[in-house]
Amino acid sequence: MWDRDKLITEFNERFAPRGPGEPEDVAAVIAFLPSEDARFVTGVSLPVDGGMGRLTVSHLSNKMSNGP
């Protein structure tokens, strides 16, 4: 069984050095997309997930099995 605290620690160490996301993090992207600064951003999926898309179950499973 996975240890929730170990999973959170592993995620924070690898992907979210600033800690969990805040609503303002998503709001900033929402404000950016219709702005002139995003005029060249077209036809893409833009995950706003703080790195969760890079987090894989197999990576965490291996990490927890092999230790730190």
Side-chain angles (χ1 to χ4, degrees):
M1 191 62 161
W2 289 354
D3 180 312
R4 180 180 182 275
D5 292 334
K6 282 185 179 181
L7 289 172
I8 291 170
T9 299
E10 171 68 13
F11 172 79
N12 286 336
E13 287 173 357
R14 290 188 53 95
F15 304 111
R18 296 182 315 126
E22 299 292 332
E24 293 81 11
D25 297 322
V26 176
V29 176
I30 293 170
F32 164 73
L33 288 174
S35 75
E36 183 62 22
D37 289 334
R39 68 186 171 278
F40 207 67
V41 178
T42 60
V44 298
S45 296
L46 181 60
V48 183
D49 62 6
M52 286 295 288
R54 296 188 56 201
L55 185 65
T56 64
V57 172
S58 61
H59 167 77
L60 289 177
S61 179
N62 291 338
K63 181 75 170 180
M64 292 180 67
S65 296
N66 297 329

Coordinates of all heavy atoms in Angstrom, one line a residue:
M1 N 0.8 -1.2 0.0 CA 0.0 0.0 0.0 C 0.9 1.2 0.0 O 1.9 1.3 0.6 CB -0.9 0.0 1.2 CG -2.0 1.0 1.2 SD -3.0 0.7 -0.2 CE -4.4 1.5 0.3
W2 N 0.5 2.3 -0.7 CA 1.2 3.5 -0.8 C 1.0 4.3 0.4 O -0.1 4.4 1.0 CB 0.9 4.3 -2.0 CG 1.3 3.6 -3.3 CD1 2.1 2.6 -3.4 CD2 1.0 4.1 -4.6 NE1 2.4 2.3 -4.7 CE2 1.7 3.2 -5.5 CE3 0.3 5.1 -5.1 CZ2 1.6 3.3 -6.9 CZ3 0.2 5.2 -6.5 CH2 0.9 4.4 -7.3
D3 N 2.1 5.0 0.8 CA 2.0 5.9 1.9 C 1.8 7.3 1.4 O 2.6 7.8 0.6 CB 3.4 5.9 2.7 CG 3.4 6.8 3.8 OD1 3.0 8.0 3.7 OD2 3.9 6.4 4.9
R4 N 0.6 7.9 1.7 CA 0.2 9.2 1.2 C 1.3 10.2 1.4 O 1.6 11.0 0.5 CB -1.1 9.6 1.8 CG -1.7 10.9 1.3 CD -3.0 11.2 2.0 NE -3.5 12.5 1.5 CZ -3.2 13.7 1.9 NH1 -2.3 13.8 2.9 NH2 -3.8 14.7 1.4
D5 N 1.8 10.3 2.6 CA 2.8 11.3 2.9 C 4.1 11.2 2.0 O 4.6 12.2 1.6 CB 3.2 11.3 4.4 CG 2.1 11.7 5.3 OD1 1.2 12.5 4.8 OD2 2.0 11.3 6.4
K6 N 4.5 9.9 1.8 CA 5.6 9.7 0.9 C 5.3 10.2 -0.5 O 6.2 10.7 -1.2 CB 6.0 8.3 0.9 CG 6.8 7.8 2.1 CD 7.3 6.4 1.9 CE 8.1 6.0 3.1 NZ 8.6 4.6 3.0
L7 N 4.1 9.9 -1.0 CA 3.7 10.3 -2.3 C 3.7 11.8 -2.5 O 4.3 12.4 -3.5 CB 2.3 9.8 -2.7 CG 2.2 8.3 -2.9 CD1 0.7 7.9 -3.1 CD2 3.0 7.9 -4.2
I8 N 3.2 12.5 -1.5 CA 3.2 14.0 -1.5 C 4.6 14.5 -1.5 O 4.9 15.5 -2.2 CB 2.3 14.5 -0.4 CG1 0.8 14.2 -0.6 CG2 2.5 16.0 -0.2 CD1 -0.1 14.5 0.5
T9 N 5.4 14.0 -0.6 CA 6.8 14.4 -0.5 C 7.5 14.2 -1.8 O 8.2 15.1 -2.3 CB 7.5 13.7 0.6 OG1 6.9 13.9 1.8 CG2 9.0 14.1 0.7
E10 N 7.4 13.1 -2.5 CA 8.0 12.8 -3.7 C 7.5 13.8 -4.8 O 8.3 14.3 -5.6 CB 7.7 11.3 -4.2 CG 8.1 11.0 -5.6 CD 9.6 11.0 -5.8 OE1 10.4 11.0 -4.8 OE2 10.1 11.0 -6.9
F11 N 6.3 14.0 -4.9 CA 5.7 14.9 -5.9 C 6.3 16.3 -5.6 O 6.8 17.0 -6.6 CB 4.2 15.0 -5.8 CG 3.7 16.1 -6.6 CD1 3.5 16.0 -8.0 CD2 3.3 17.3 -6.1 CE1 3.1 17.0 -8.8 CE2 2.8 18.4 -6.8 CZ 2.7 18.2 -8.2
N12 N 6.3 16.8 -4.4 CA 6.8 18.1 -4.1 C 8.3 18.3 -4.4 O 8.7 19.3 -4.9 CB 6.5 18.5 -2.7 CG 5.1 18.8 -2.4 OD1 4.4 19.2 -3.4 ND2 4.6 18.7 -1.2
E13 N 9.1 17.2 -4.2 CA 10.5 17.3 -4.4 C 10.8 17.3 -5.9 O 11.7 18.0 -6.4 CB 11.2 16.1 -3.8 CG 11.3 16.1 -2.3 CD 11.9 14.8 -1.7 OE1 12.1 13.9 -2.5 OE2 12.0 14.8 -0.5
R14 N 10.0 16.6 -6.7 CA 10.3 16.5 -8.2 C 9.6 17.5 -9.0 O 10.2 18.0 -10.0 CB 10.0 15.1 -8.7 CG 10.9 14.1 -8.1 CD 10.7 12.7 -8.8 NE 10.8 12.8 -10.2 CZ 11.8 12.6 -11.0 NH1 12.9 12.3 -10.4 NH2 11.7 12.6 -12.3
F15 N 8.4 17.9 -8.7 CA 7.6 18.6 -9.6 C 7.0 19.9 -9.1 O 6.6 20.8 -9.9 CB 6.4 17.8 -10.1 CG 6.9 16.5 -10.7 CD1 6.6 15.3 -10.1 CD2 7.6 16.5 -11.9 CE1 7.1 14.1 -10.7 CE2 8.0 15.3 -12.5 CZ 7.8 14.1 -11.9
A16 N 6.9 20.1 -7.8 CA 6.2 21.3 -7.3 C 7.0 21.9 -6.2 O 6.6 21.9 -5.0 CB 4.8 20.9 -6.8
P17 N 8.2 22.5 -6.5 CA 9.0 23.0 -5.5 C 8.4 24.2 -4.7 O 8.8 24.5 -3.6 CB 10.3 23.5 -6.3 CG 9.9 23.6 -7.7 CD 8.7 22.7 -7.9
R18 N 7.4 24.8 -5.3 CA 6.7 25.9 -4.6 C 5.5 25.5 -3.7 O 4.9 26.2 -3.1 CB 6.2 27.0 -5.6 CG 7.3 27.6 -6.3 CD 6.8 28.7 -7.3 NE 5.7 28.2 -8.0 CZ 4.5 28.9 -8.1 NH1 4.4 30.0 -7.5 NH2 3.5 28.4 -8.8
G19 N 5.2 24.2 -3.7 CA 4.1 23.7 -3.0 C 2.9 23.6 -3.8 O 2.9 23.7 -5.1
P20 N 1.7 23.3 -3.2 CA 0.5 23.1 -4.0 C 0.1 24.4 -4.7 O 0.4 25.5 -4.3 CB -0.5 22.6 -3.0 CG 0.0 22.9 -1.7 CD 1.5 23.1 -1.8
G21 N -0.6 24.2 -5.8 CA -1.1 25.3 -6.6 C -2.2 26.1 -5.9 O -2.9 25.6 -5.0
E22 N -2.4 27.3 -6.3 CA -3.4 28.2 -5.8 C -4.3 28.6 -6.9 O -3.9 28.5 -8.1 CB -2.8 29.4 -5.1 CG -1.8 29.2 -4.0 CD -2.6 28.6 -2.8 OE1 -3.7 28.9 -2.6 OE2 -1.9 27.9 -2.0
P23 N -5.6 29.0 -6.6 CA -6.4 29.4 -7.7 C -5.8 30.5 -8.6 O -6.0 30.6 -9.8 CB -7.7 30.0 -6.9 CG -7.7 29.2 -5.7 CD -6.2 29.0 -5.3
E24 N -5.0 31.4 -8.0 CA -4.3 32.4 -8.7 C -3.4 31.9 -9.8 O -3.2 32.5 -10.8 CB -3.6 33.3 -7.8 CG -4.4 34.1 -6.8 CD -4.9 33.3 -5.6 OE1 -4.4 32.2 -5.4 OE2 -5.8 33.9 -4.9
D25 N -2.8 30.7 -9.6 CA -2.0 30.1 -10.6 C -2.7 29.8 -11.8 O -2.3 30.0 -13.0 CB -1.3 28.8 -10.0 CG -0.4 29.1 -8.8 OD1 0.3 30.1 -8.9 OD2 -0.4 28.3 -7.9
V26 N -3.9 29.2 -11.7 CA -4.8 28.9 -12.8 C -5.3 30.2 -13.4 O -5.4 30.4 -14.7 CB -5.9 28.0 -12.4 CG1 -6.9 27.7 -13.6 CG2 -5.4 26.7 -11.9
A27 N -5.7 31.1 -12.6 CA -6.3 32.4 -13.1 C -5.2 33.2 -13.9 O -5.6 33.8 -14.9 CB -6.7 33.3 -11.9
A28 N -4.0 33.1 -13.6 CA -2.9 33.8 -14.4 C -2.9 33.2 -15.8 O -2.7 34.0 -16.8 CB -1.6 33.6 -13.7
V29 N -3.0 31.9 -16.0 CA -3.0 31.3 -17.3 C -4.3 31.7 -18.1 O -4.3 32.0 -19.2 CB -2.9 29.8 -17.2 CG1 -3.0 29.1 -18.6 CG2 -1.6 29.4 -16.6
I30 N -5.4 31.7 -17.4 CA -6.7 32.1 -18.0 C -6.6 33.5 -18.5 O -7.1 33.9 -19.6 CB -7.9 31.9 -17.0 CG1 -8.1 30.4 -16.8 CG2 -9.1 32.5 -17.6 CD1 -9.0 30.1 -15.6
A31 N -6.0 34.4 -17.7 CA -5.8 35.8 -18.1 C -4.8 35.9 -19.3 O -5.0 36.8 -20.1 CB -5.4 36.6 -16.9
F32 N -3.8 35.1 -19.3 CA -2.8 35.1 -20.3 C -3.4 34.8 -21.7 O -3.1 35.4 -22.7 CB -1.6 34.2 -20.0 CG -0.7 33.9 -21.1 CD1 0.2 34.9 -21.6 CD2 -0.7 32.7 -21.7 CE1 1.0 34.6 -22.7 CE2 0.2 32.4 -22.8 CZ 1.0 33.4 -23.2
L33 N -4.1 33.7 -21.8 CA -4.5 33.1 -23.1 C -5.3 34.1 -24.0 O -5.0 34.2 -25.2 CB -5.4 31.9 -22.9 CG -4.5 30.7 -22.4 CD1 -5.4 29.5 -22.0 CD2 -3.5 30.3 -23.4
P34 N -6.2 34.9 -23.5 CA -6.8 35.9 -24.4 C -6.1 37.2 -24.6 O -6.5 38.1 -25.3 CB -8.2 36.1 -23.8 CG -8.0 36.0 -22.3 CD -6.9 34.9 -22.2
S35 N -4.9 37.3 -24.0 CA -4.1 38.5 -24.1 C -3.3 38.6 -25.3 O -3.1 37.6 -26.0 CB -3.2 38.6 -22.8 OG -2.1 37.8 -23.0
E36 N -2.8 39.8 -25.6 CA -2.0 40.0 -26.8 C -0.6 39.2 -26.6 O -0.1 38.8 -27.6 CB -1.7 41.5 -26.9 CG -0.8 41.9 -28.1 CD -1.5 41.5 -29.5 OE1 -2.7 41.4 -29.5 OE2 -0.8 41.4 -30.5
D37 N -0.2 39.0 -25.4 CA 1.0 38.2 -25.2 C 0.9 36.7 -25.7 O 1.9 36.1 -26.0 CB 1.4 38.2 -23.7 CG 1.9 39.5 -23.3 OD1 2.4 40.3 -24.1 OD2 1.7 39.8 -22.1
A38 N -0.3 36.2 -25.8 CA -0.5 34.8 -26.3 C -0.9 34.8 -27.7 O -1.4 33.7 -28.2 CB -1.6 34.2 -25.4
R39 N -0.7 35.8 -28.5 CA -1.2 35.9 -29.9 C -0.6 34.8 -30.7 O -1.2 34.4 -31.7 CB -0.9 37.2 -30.5 CG 0.6 37.5 -30.7 CD 0.8 39.0 -31.1 NE 2.3 39.2 -31.2 CZ 3.0 39.6 -30.1 NH1 2.4 39.8 -28.9 NH2 4.3 39.9 -30.2
F40 N 0.5 34.2 -30.4 CA 1.1 33.2 -31.2 C 0.9 31.8 -30.6 O 1.4 30.8 -31.1 CB 2.7 33.4 -31.3 CG 3.3 32.9 -32.5 CD1 3.0 33.4 -33.8 CD2 4.2 31.9 -32.5 CE1 3.5 32.9 -34.9 CE2 4.8 31.4 -33.6 CZ 4.5 31.9 -34.9
V41 N 0.1 31.7 -29.6 CA -0.3 30.4 -29.0 C -1.6 29.9 -29.6 O -2.6 30.5 -29.4 CB -0.4 30.5 -27.4 CG1 -0.9 29.2 -26.8 CG2 0.8 31.0 -26.8
T42 N -1.5 28.9 -30.4 CA -2.6 28.4 -31.1 C -2.6 26.9 -31.2 O -1.6 26.3 -31.3 CB -2.7 28.9 -32.6 OG1 -1.5 28.5 -33.3 CG2 -2.8 30.4 -32.6
G43 N -3.8 26.3 -31.1 CA -3.9 24.8 -31.3 C -3.2 24.0 -30.3 O -2.6 22.9 -30.7
V44 N -3.1 24.3 -29.1 CA -2.3 23.5 -28.1 C -3.2 23.2 -26.9 O -4.1 24.0 -26.6 CB -1.0 24.2 -27.6 CG1 -0.1 24.4 -28.8 CG2 -1.3 25.5 -26.9
S45 N -2.9 22.1 -26.3 CA -3.5 21.9 -24.9 C -2.5 22.3 -23.9 O -1.3 22.0 -24.0 CB -3.7 20.4 -24.7 OG -4.7 19.9 -25.6
L46 N -2.9 23.2 -23.0 CA -1.9 23.7 -22.1 C -2.3 23.2 -20.7 O -3.2 23.8 -20.0 CB -2.0 25.3 -22.1 CG -1.1 26.0 -21.2 CD1 0.4 25.6 -21.5 CD2 -1.3 27.5 -21.4
P47 N -1.7 22.2 -20.2 CA -2.0 21.7 -18.9 C -1.6 22.7 -17.8 O -0.5 23.2 -17.9 CB -1.3 20.4 -18.7 CG -0.6 20.2 -20.0 CD -0.7 21.4 -20.8
V48 N -2.4 23.0 -16.9 CA -2.1 23.9 -15.8 C -2.3 23.0 -14.5 O -3.3 23.1 -13.8 CB -3.0 25.1 -15.7 CG1 -2.6 26.1 -14.6 CG2 -3.0 25.9 -17.1
D49 N -1.2 22.2 -14.3 CA -1.4 21.1 -13.3 C -0.2 21.1 -12.4 O -0.1 20.1 -11.6 CB -1.6 19.8 -14.0 CG -0.5 19.3 -14.8 OD1 0.6 20.0 -14.9 OD2 -0.7 18.3 -15.5
G50 N 0.7 22.0 -12.4 CA 1.8 22.1 -11.5 C 2.8 20.9 -11.6 O 3.5 20.6 -10.7
G51 N 2.7 20.2 -12.8 CA 3.6 19.1 -13.0 C 3.0 17.7 -12.8 O 3.6 16.7 -13.0
M52 N 1.7 17.7 -12.5 CA 1.0 16.4 -12.2 C 1.0 15.6 -13.5 O 1.1 14.4 -13.4 CB -0.4 16.7 -11.8 CG -0.5 17.1 -10.4 SD 0.0 15.9 -9.2 CE -1.3 14.7 -9.3
G53 N 1.0 16.2 -14.7 CA 1.0 15.5 -15.9 C 2.3 14.7 -16.1 O 2.3 13.7 -16.8
R54 N 3.4 15.1 -15.4 CA 4.6 14.4 -15.5 C 4.7 13.3 -14.4 O 5.6 12.5 -14.5 CB 5.8 15.3 -15.3 CG 5.8 16.4 -16.4 CD 7.1 17.2 -16.4 NE 8.3 16.3 -16.4 CZ 9.4 16.7 -15.9 NH1 9.6 17.9 -15.4 NH2 10.5 15.9 -15.9
L55 N 3.9 13.3 -13.5 CA 3.9 12.4 -12.4 C 3.3 11.1 -12.9 O 2.2 11.0 -13.4 CB 3.0 12.9 -11.2 CG 3.0 12.1 -9.9 CD1 4.4 12.2 -9.3 CD2 2.0 12.7 -9.0
T56 N 4.1 10.0 -12.7 CA 3.6 8.7 -13.2 C 3.5 7.7 -12.0 O 4.3 7.8 -11.1 CB 4.5 8.1 -14.2 OG1 5.8 7.8 -13.6 CG2 4.7 9.0 -15.4
V57 N 2.5 6.9 -12.0 CA 2.3 5.9 -11.0 C 3.5 5.0 -10.9 O 4.0 4.7 -9.8 CB 1.0 5.1 -11.2 CG1 0.9 4.0 -10.2 CG2 -0.2 6.0 -11.1
S58 N 4.1 4.6 -12.1 CA 5.2 3.7 -12.1 C 6.4 4.3 -11.4 O 7.2 3.7 -10.7 CB 5.5 3.2 -13.5 OG 5.8 4.2 -14.3
H59 N 6.6 5.6 -11.7 CA 7.8 6.3 -11.1 C 7.7 6.3 -9.6 O 8.6 5.9 -8.9 CB 7.9 7.7 -11.6 CG 8.8 8.5 -10.8 ND1 10.2 8.5 -11.0 CD2 8.6 9.4 -9.8 CE1 10.8 9.3 -10.1 NE2 9.8 9.9 -9.4
L60 N 6.5 6.6 -9.1 CA 6.3 6.7 -7.6 C 6.4 5.2 -7.0 O 7.0 5.0 -6.0 CB 5.0 7.3 -7.3 CG 4.9 8.8 -7.5 CD1 3.6 9.3 -7.2 CD2 6.0 9.5 -6.7
S61 N 5.8 4.3 -7.7 CA 5.8 2.9 -7.2 C 7.3 2.4 -7.1 O 7.7 1.8 -6.1 CB 5.0 2.0 -8.2 OG 5.1 0.7 -7.7
N62 N 8.1 2.7 -8.2 CA 9.5 2.3 -8.1 C 10.2 3.0 -7.0 O 11.1 2.4 -6.3 CB 10.2 2.5 -9.5 CG 9.6 1.6 -10.6 OD1 9.1 0.5 -10.3 ND2 9.8 2.0 -11.8
K63 N 10.0 4.3 -6.9 CA 10.7 5.1 -5.9 C 10.4 4.6 -4.5 O 11.3 4.4 -3.7 CB 10.2 6.5 -6.0 CG 10.9 7.5 -5.1 CD 12.3 7.8 -5.5 CE 12.8 8.9 -4.7 NZ 14.2 9.2 -5.0
M64 N 9.1 4.2 -4.3 CA 8.7 3.8 -2.9 C 9.3 2.4 -2.7 O 9.6 2.0 -1.5 CB 7.2 3.9 -2.7 CG 6.8 5.3 -2.7 SD 5.0 5.5 -2.5 CE 4.8 4.8 -0.9
S65 N 9.4 1.5 -3.7 CA 9.9 0.2 -3.5 C 11.4 0.2 -3.3 O 11.9 -0.6 -2.5 CB 9.6 -0.6 -4.8 OG 8.2 -0.8 -5.0
N66 N 12.1 1.1 -3.9 CA 13.5 1.1 -3.8 C 14.0 2.0 -2.7 O 15.2 2.1 -2.5 CB 14.1 1.6 -5.2 CG 13.8 0.6 -6.3 OD1 13.6 -0.6 -6.1 ND2 13.7 1.1 -7.5
G67 N 13.2 2.8 -2.1 CA 13.6 3.7 -1.1 C 14.1 5.0 -1.6 O 14.2 5.2 -2.8
P68 N 14.4 6.0 -0.8 CA 14.8 7.3 -1.2 C 16.1 7.3 -2.0 O 16.9 6.5 -1.9 CB 14.9 8.1 0.0 CG 14.7 7.2 1.2 CD 14.3 5.8 0.6

